[in-house]
Structure formats: structure tokens, C-alpha cells
Amino acid sequence: LMIMSQAKYNPEAAIGFWKRVQQNPEFSASIPFLSTHPSSESRVTRLQEVLPMALARYRGETVPQPSSERYPTDRPSALP
């Protein structure tokens, strides 16, 4: 979401996309990699948590990196 906002794509669009995925289980079932990733519901929740920070970045404001404690990776700044 942060990369999306830095690239000047509206981060709110990601939430809309994942809400549409939630409403269409056939879509999720048709993409194998989604079965190993967080559910659309938990993904939307996490995106909503970091949306204020992403919107600030989208507007060009300087903001700290979000916490990645919920989704640990080798890269501390990685987000879902």
C-alpha cells in the first residue's frame, strides 16, 4: 500500500478491490496464490489500519514506516 501511494496511485483503490474480492468467492478460488495469502477480510482490515499513513504519503507528506509486526518478513518495511 505504501509503494502504491508513493507511486501516486490512490491507496483507497486497494481497499475497494479487496472488498470486491470478498464479495466474489469464485474470483478468489480461481487464483491459486490467494489460497496461501491472508484472507480478503483480514487484508481489508490491515489496509484500513494503515490507510491514513498511506494517504499521507500519497499527498506527499513525510511519514514513518508502518509497523510490520503482524506480517513479519525479511524486509522490515514490507506490507501486505
Side-chain angles (χ1 to χ4, degrees):
L1 195 62
M2 302 311 264
I3 292 169
M4 180 180 182
S5 61
Q6 285 179 292
K8 300 303 180 196
Y9 287 97
N10 186 339
E12 293 170 307
I15 293 173
F17 170 79
W18 288 107
K19 284 184 176 182
R20 287 191 303 278
V21 170
Q22 271 180 301
Q23 294 170 354
N24 186 352
E26 290 178 20
F27 176 79
S28 295
S30 70
I31 302 175
F33 87 87
L34 288 178
S35 67
T36 62
H37 285 63
S39 69
S40 297
E41 184 177 323
S42 63
R43 190 180 302 268
V44 167
T45 299
R46 178 64 176 148
L47 290 173
Q48 288 172 328
E49 290 171 1
V50 298
L51 182 62
M53 198 177 313
L55 284 171
R57 259 212 196 146
Y58 178 66
R59 293 187 298 263
E61 300 169 17
T62 302
V63 295
Q65 285 290 333
S67 169
S68 62
E69 294 172 8
R70 290 184 57 185
Y71 300 99
T73 68
D74 294 336
R75 297 183 328 252
S77 63
L79 284 176

